[in-house]
Amino acid sequence: MLEESREGRGVWNGTGGCLSYNVQIQHNSRLNDVGTNLLMVKNGRIGTASLRDLPFILNKKSTLVLNNAMTLPAMFMGKLAGQKIELRLVSNLNSDFRTFNRWYGILLDGNTDWRTRTEFRTVELNHASSSTIQFSDGCGIKITDQIRKSLWEVTINPSNEHPTALDVIFSHGQFIQYSHLTHELQPWDVQSIVFTIPAALEPPSSHFQLTWQLLSELREKGHNIVYITHGSGVSDLGYPELDHFLPFPELYRVGKDAATMLNESVDTSYQIVAIGTSVTRALEHNFNINQQFNEGIFLATNRLSSKNQAKVVEAMLTGMHLPNTSHYDLMRGFLPDQMVHQSFKYAKANNFRWHEYGDLTLVFNHFKTRKSF
Amino acid sequence: MEFNELDEINKSYGLLDEQNYPKWVREELKNYWQSKHVLITGGSRGLGLFLTKNLLDLGAKVAIVARDPIRLQLVKEQLNSENLLTLNFDIGNKETIHTVASMALSFFEGRVDYLINNASTLGGKELRPLLDTPCEDIEHALNVNVVAPFRLTKLVVPAMLGKGTVVNITSDASVTAYETWGAYSISKAALDHMTRIMAKEFSKFNIEALAFDPGDMRTTLHFNAIPDAEISDLLHPGDVALELIVFLAMEKHDQERYAASCWKKVVKDAVFGTGQVVA
Ligand SMILES: NC(=O)c1ccc[n+]([C@@H]2O[C@H](COP(=O)([O-])OP(=O)(O)OC[C@H]3O[C@@H](n4cnc5c(N)ncnc54)[C@H](OP(=O)(O)O)[C@@H]3O)[C@@H](O)[C@H]2O)c1
């Protein structure tokens, strides 16, 4: 996917909020320079490996589950009541992946841009309902309702020139950018190699490191590759009153072939390896419905944590997550708290790189035994 | 030379017209193409337009890409089908190629059967000897005729896993060294070789890559290159489109690059010769 080269790495000296960890971050948007170090946590042991070795690391026959969602632009610049704002789509309210008109959104101060962290861009706009962010070519985004403080329901209004909501999203939106990166992400930086359906608001960052070479090697070693579509919402909003609701409910789809392959995997003791936190959430939600995998479109409302541990996913490949984030909490659905903390300390001491385009963690489910179902 | 393709598409070059193919062929083709998802670059004129018209008639879902919005709108009105998506983009623009892919993939609900890389440029406005060719013309030809198909293929292949075909439209200029056709020829030769490598690499995903030379056709591209070309010496793009649709449906491909005479003979033999079943 990479087209342009950009250099630079840095240290995250995050101040404000809880982010002051001094960890190495990948400070660029180069997809071919993403981290390929793998922090491995298995059977109570923590170690370092390389993603290239994944076909061998998975010494048990595995079914790897990937997310084939394509990332949509989600940031829209405009004016509301004379004030410059950014409207950011944060969660999908449509009932399938063919319609794109209804979303939850948040409003951010438009006088600053993505280079400023979202927590410093919050705005108080209590009377935004019924107003519309109008674009010059006739289309717009209407704020239809206030759901709770700082969270809005919005509807995309197409025009003659852009007759569908998807068209409006692509012609007026920008891809979500990250303040920890020095350069603006380009379209080719935010898509994975396996996307087939426009569905996600943020890219599945655990997929950036995947290559066709690696997927072929995994297949040659006898592992299965399965795709589901998970419409990931936004993982960090900047509004403290909303952040503790994260992750919002997320739409996902399991196709017929995927459901069959997953059920066969359970029956034949293939271990299920979820690529990414979104896939993990969807698989756990789906299996929990009736203790088997089901074809169809669903809304994932679950939240994995130490109290709601992963039951069917045996291993998860994910990014590097900082304490006090929803993704870090999700790790606690796989490992005892103490081990999550130890692995964080290990990664920090060994200069693993954090955030999107950083390194990866492969965590094996400490709690799950086959006997549990 | 004026050749109004839009007038012709609804006359004699619809596949359902009996004068072109026997009934049994048309039925086999309908069975094959019904509900297939086809993305065609440059579907607003020439070969691409007739491929689009006939594939829609056969029940396929088709997305086409072209730059001229007025022409695209005319095509949309004339073909008037819910199964057609028109995308007004320049395939040479890397900033918007992901948008092309995502709009098409959304229309096809994540499944593509055929990607037909058909849009093409001569490189510059007129043909010139290599030494008179601006470097920019070579770059432009390579960008539109090679890099754009490469980009689009990368974006669409995930939606083809398990079964799919990438069709690259090439030219005899890729093998014969015609004077003054430098920029175009170089790019088509590169396209041929890219096709060969794709064919090898994609086979493990059960995806085919094929290059076809369509032969000399009476199209805008041809008249731009040779303004005084004799129209009666040139193939009708509607005829070529029909033959290609038949050939692809046969799914019997034994090479990665087909010269015009070669694949057309296979079609003629199958349809009018031995009476072999098509699909
Ligand atoms: N005609 C011949 O004699 C001949 C011979 C050998 C091979 N071929 C090959 O056959 C294929 C079809 O050619 P043709 O003769 O049918 O050409 P054509 O009549 O000129 O049509 C070309 C189509 O491609 C579109 N197009 C061109 N550049 C584009 C771009 N950058 N982005 C998006 N769309 C673009 C054009 O629409 P817009 O202009 O509106 O973008 C048009 O729809 C080409 O690959 C050509 O090399 C032709």
Side-chain angles (χ1 to χ4, degrees):
Chain A
M1 292 290 137
L2 175 90
E3 301 257 357
E4 301 292 5
S5 302
R6 299 200 174 98
E7 296 304 325
R9 254 204 228 180
V11 175
W12 176 263
N13 285 314
T15 51
C18 53
L19 298 171
S20 55
Y21 293 109
N22 256 317
V23 292
Q24 289 275 346
I25 63 157
Q26 182 76 357
H27 219 195
N28 60 25
S29 50
R30 295 189 57 176
L31 285 197
N32 68 347
D33 190 31
V34 286
T36 49
N37 284 332
L38 202 56
L39 172 73
M40 255 184 70
V41 192
K42 188 174 185 182
N43 297 335
R45 288 166 54 197
I46 301 168
T48 305
S50 163
L51 184 66
R52 271 181 229 109
D53 300 328
L54 191 63
F56 304 94
I57 293 170
L58 298 174
N59 54 10
K60 197 171 153 192
K61 288 273 187 269
S62 304
T63 295
L64 289 94
V65 190
L66 279 68
N67 183 6
N68 63 11
M70 179 178 200
T71 310
L72 291 162
M75 304 188 336
F76 297 83
M77 306 305 159
K79 274 195 172 168
L80 266 186
Q83 193 176 334
K84 273 168 103 179
I85 54 106
E86 176 196 320
L87 169 79
R88 191 172 286 201
L89 306 181
V90 296
S91 177
N92 189 345
L93 294 177
N94 302 292
S95 54
D96 57 42
F97 291 122
R98 278 170 300 185
T99 40
F100 297 90
N101 52 329
R102 287 182 59 229
W103 302 85
Y104 280 153
I106 56 168
L107 299 171
L108 297 166
D109 181 6
N111 292 305
T112 53
D113 66 9
W114 58 270
R115 289 172 187 84
T116 306
R117 303 236 312 265
T118 43
E119 46 269 53
F120 302 122
R121 299 181 62 205
T122 57
V123 282
E124 287 276 340
L125 266 175
N126 291 323
H127 305 291
S129 282
S130 303
S131 37
T132 298
I133 299 168
Q134 200 64 47
F135 303 120
S136 54
D137 53 11
C139 52
I141 304 182
K142 184 169 184 194
I143 317 267
T144 40
D145 210 353
Q146 179 158 24
I147 303 305
R148 60 178 70 244
K149 188 165 181 279
S150 315
L151 186 67
W152 309 87
E153 185 176 329
V154 304
T155 308
I156 298 192
N157 296 336
S159 65
N160 281 346
E161 199 172 321
H162 301 293
T164 64
L166 187 64
D167 206 340
V168 177
I169 289 174
F170 272 105
S171 33
H172 290 284
Q174 296 167 30
F175 293 103
I176 287 185
Q177 303 289 331
Y178 300 93
S179 60
H180 67 268
L181 296 176
T182 46
H183 295 283
E184 192 169 337
L185 294 170
Q186 301 300 319
W188 47 87
D189 292 320
V190 298
Q191 307 296 354
S192 79
I193 58 163
V194 295
F195 75 74
T196 58
I197 294 271
L201 296 176
E202 282 197 276
S205 53
S206 51
H207 287 53
F208 287 144
Q209 290 84 344
L210 301 179
T211 59
W212 287 107
Q213 172 106 24
L214 181 68
L215 295 184
S216 300
E217 282 170 19
L218 283 161
R219 236 195 234 106
E220 277 157 25
K221 282 293 255 174
H223 303 298
N224 299 317
I225 311 278
V226 169
Y227 300 91
I228 65 168
T229 308
H230 184 106
S232 316
V234 171
S235 58
D236 176 26
L237 304 174
Y239 283 93
E241 65 269 31
L242 295 180
D243 276 345
H244 68 270
F245 289 107
L246 292 173
F248 287 143
E250 290 168 319
L251 205 63
Y252 69 91
R253 184 174 76 183
V254 179
K256 191 169 179 230
D257 293 350
T260 307
M261 173 81 85
L262 285 163
N263 283 323
E264 275 173 24
S265 302
V266 173
D267 292 344
T268 53
S269 295
Y270 268 57
Q271 67 180 351
I272 292 176
V273 181
I275 311 297
T277 51
S278 301
V279 169
T280 305
R281 185 186 197 201
L283 292 178
E284 289 295 333
H285 180 269
N286 193 279
F287 191 79
N288 204 31
I289 296 170
N290 53 2
Q291 304 303 296
Q292 63 175 35
F293 288 103
N294 306 277
E295 167 199 356
I297 292 192
F298 305 88
L299 196 64
T301 47
N302 53 333
R303 188 176 183 169
L304 291 184
S305 65
S306 51
K307 291 193 195 75
N308 183 21
Q309 295 162 352
K311 293 184 185 64
V312 72
V313 175
E314 276 164 271
M316 171 175 74
L317 183 72
T318 179
M320 309 296 301
H321 304 306
L322 293 170
N324 295 329
T325 61
S326 59
H327 286 162
Y328 189 88
D329 278 354
L330 192 146
M331 300 264 287
R332 297 157 75 199
F334 281 81
L335 300 171
D337 283 3
Q338 190 203 0
M339 209 180 292
V340 179
H341 188 61
Q342 270 173 13
S343 51
F344 169 69
K345 278 186 9 195
Y346 176 94
K348 204 178 141 198
N350 287 281
N351 292 327
F352 273 74
R353 288 179 284 169
W354 255 258
H355 275 295
E356 285 79 11
Y357 313 99
D359 290 314
L360 290 172
T361 308
L362 178 64
V363 35
F364 286 82
N365 194 334
H366 193 83
F367 306 119
K368 185 182 165 343
T369 56
R370 277 284 172 194
K371 281 182 237 101
S372 61
F373 57 87
Chain B
M1 178 68 233
E2 196 49 40
F3 168 63
N4 195 339
E5 299 154 335
L6 277 178
D7 274 355
E8 300 227 350
I9 49 171
N10 283 333
K11 286 192 211 150
S12 54
Y13 287 92
L15 214 131
L16 299 178
D17 192 331
E18 294 224 356
Q19 76 191 44
N20 291 310
Y21 283 91
K23 194 167 169 223
W24 68 269
V25 177
R26 299 198 311 267
E27 296 205 328
E28 297 248 13
L29 289 177
K30 267 192 183 164
N31 286 341
Y32 180 82
W33 286 103
Q34 184 75 39
S35 309
K36 287 267 190 304
H37 295 175
V38 188
L39 172 56
I40 305 176
T41 63
S44 68
R45 289 179 200 279
L47 178 63
L49 174 63
F50 286 94
L51 285 170
T52 305
K53 152 78 181 160
N54 286 296
L55 288 171
L56 288 172
D57 283 351
L58 291 168
K61 232 175 154 177
V62 184
I64 61 173
V65 195
R67 293 163 304 173
D68 177 353
I70 297 168
R71 173 75 179 194
L72 213 45
Q73 184 59 29
L74 277 175
V75 169
K76 191 176 172 176
E77 282 164 18
Q78 189 123 355
L79 297 182
N80 187 24
S81 166
E82 276 190 357
N83 280 338
L84 174 67
L85 174 72
T86 55
L87 296 165
N88 182 209
F89 291 93
D90 180 342
I91 55 157
N93 182 351
K94 70 176 179 185
E95 309 290 335
T96 51
I97 198 81
H98 285 79
T99 306
V100 171
S102 54
M103 305 275 282
L105 289 171
S106 174
F107 177 65
F108 293 136
E109 295 182 41
R111 177 77 215 152
V112 175
D113 298 293
Y114 281 89
L115 164 63
I116 305 186
N117 287 309
N118 162 75
S120 188
T121 176
L122 294 170
K125 281 205 170 64
E126 58 192 90
L127 300 181
R128 299 188 234 214
L130 269 181
L131 289 179
D132 291 330
T133 302
C135 297
E136 288 74 14
D137 287 4
I138 303 255
E139 282 174 356
H140 182 56
L142 288 171
N143 186 45
V144 174
N145 300 351
V146 188
V147 182
F150 169 66
R151 283 199 183 104
L152 207 50
T153 303
K154 272 182 87 166
L155 300 180
V156 171
V157 151
M160 288 185 166
L161 293 177
K163 188 166 167 63
T165 308
V166 178
V167 174
N168 293 326
I169 304 297
T170 182
S171 160
D172 65 331
S174 72
V175 279
T176 307
Y178 298 116
E179 285 180 46
T180 72
W181 286 77
Y184 178 79
S185 307
I186 290 165
S187 70
K188 290 293 187 184
L191 182 70
D192 282 1
H193 207 55
M194 184 169 82
T195 311
R196 290 188 193 98
I197 293 171
M198 283 176 171
K200 282 225 161 64
E201 292 188 356
F202 295 177
S203 62
K204 55 173 162 287
F205 306 116
N206 206 19
I207 295 173
E208 283 188 305
L210 302 164
F212 289 94
D213 168 13
D216 288 349
M217 301 175 289
R218 50 183 89 157
T219 65
T220 309
L221 182 126
H222 198 96
F223 291 119
N224 281 346
I226 310 172
D228 56 355
E230 179 51 57
I231 193 164
S232 57
D233 292 345
L234 301 171
L235 298 165
H236 193 296
D239 284 335
V240 180
L242 293 182
E243 286 163 347
L244 190 54
I245 286 169
V246 175
F247 187 84
L248 292 174
M250 289 168 67
E251 287 197 355
K252 289 194 182 104
H253 318 129
D254 54 6
Q255 28 187 307
E256 291 102 34
R257 185 194 184 281
Y258 280 93
S261 55
C262 175
W263 66 268
K264 288 178 190 187
K265 182 175 183 310
V266 176
V267 172
K268 295 245 154 63
D269 284 353
V271 176
F272 303 111
T274 59
Q276 183 189 338
V277 175
V278 172

